[in-house]
Amino acid sequence: MKIRKTMEIVGKAKEDVSLPKATMTKIIKEMLPAHVRVTRDAQDLLVECCVEFINLISSESNDICYKEEKRTIAPEHVLESLKILGFGSYIREVKAAYEQHRIENWDCPRAGTRWSKNRLEMTEEEALLEQQRMFAEARARMNSGNNNFPGQLQSQSQSQSQSQSQSQSE
C-alpha cells in the first residue's frame, strides 16, 4: 500500500473537500446516547476523519479499478478496498447498507423508476405515455415530410418572414 499525505488523494486543498456539517452533526447525534454532548472541535475532527476515510477508500478502489483496466469504480472495488485496507470486518455491514440503498432507491417503483421533467417527478407510466406521444409526433412529422422539431419549425418560419420583410423593404 502506498503512503499518501493527508488530502493528497483528491488533489485538492483541504479547505475544498468536506462533508455537509449539518448532516454530519445529525449523524453524530443519532449515534450517541441523548445525554452525550459533542464539542464543535470534536465534530470537526470527526468530519475530517470521515473525509480522510472516504479519500482512502476511494483511492484504493480507484487503484483496484485501474489494475483491472476498468474506467468505473463499482461496488465490488469498494468492498475489495475495504478488505485490502484492513476493514474487512465492515464488509457485511457495508453490503447490507448497500442492499438497503438499492431497495430504497433503485428497485422501488415509486423512487427507482421516476424521472425528472421540469423539476417534477414522472412515474414510469407517465414516462411511457410521454414517449408514445413523442413517437406519434415524430411519425406525423416523418409522414408529412416535415423533419423539423416543433420549436424548430416556428423559429425557421419566423426567420424566413423576417428575411422576406428585410428584402421587401430594401
Side-chain angles (χ1 to χ4, degrees):
M1 181 176 81
K2 300 175 206 170
I3 304 220
R4 297 177 176 95
K5 292 180 183 174
T6 302
M7 295 297 177
E8 179 183 311
I9 297 168
V10 292
K12 293 186 176 187
K14 189 175 183 178
E15 301 82 38
D16 294 343
V17 182
S18 189
L19 294 169
K21 290 195 182 215
T23 304
M24 293 302 298
T25 301
K26 182 180 175 193
I27 291 170
I28 292 166
K29 287 181 179 180
E30 287 176 358
M31 298 302 296
L32 297 173
H35 68 277
V36 175
R37 301 180 89 194
V38 182
T39 66
R40 175 78 67 206
D41 288 344
Q43 287 178 11
D44 291 345
L45 180 59
L46 284 168
V47 169
E48 287 184 40
C49 289
C50 290
V51 168
E52 188 62 29
F53 180 75
I54 291 168
N55 284 331
L56 184 64
I57 299 299
S58 298
S59 178
E60 188 62 37
S61 298
N62 186 52
D63 290 348
I64 294 167
C65 188
Y66 180 78
K67 288 174 190 170
E68 292 180 5
E69 297 180 1
K70 304 279 183 174
R71 295 179 64 190
T72 305
I73 296 173
E76 298 77 35
H77 300 130
V78 175
L79 295 172
E80 182 65 22
S81 68
L82 286 169
K83 191 166 107 180
I84 289 171
L85 293 170
F87 298 105
S89 61
Y90 292 103
I91 290 176
R92 182 180 291 147
E93 287 181 61
V94 170
K95 281 183 179 179
Y98 175 64
E99 286 305 313
Q100 185 65 32
H101 169 76
R102 285 180 49 132
I103 290 167
E104 291 174 0
N105 295 299
W106 294 341
D107 298 337
C108 176
R110 290 185 55 194
T113 57
R114 296 177 85 83
W115 295 272
S116 175
K117 179 184 178 189
N118 299 332
R119 298 185 188 254
L120 299 174
E121 297 268 324
M122 183 185 292
T123 64
E124 189 171 3
E125 294 81 20
E126 291 168 333
L128 184 58
L129 289 172
E130 179 69 11
Q131 181 185 39
Q132 289 170 346
R133 184 193 63 75
M134 291 168 72
F135 281 146
E137 279 182 12
R139 255 192 306 296
R141 282 194 312 272
M142 189 175 80
N143 291 337
S144 70
N146 178 6
N147 292 325
N148 295 322
F149 292 102
Q152 197 176 16
L153 181 61
Q154 279 183 333
S155 63
Q156 283 182 348
S157 62
Q158 288 173 352
S159 297
Q160 288 173 352
S161 48
Q162 286 175 353
S163 298
Q164 288 173 354
S165 299
Q166 288 175 351
S167 62
Q168 290 174 355
S169 63
E170 292 175 358

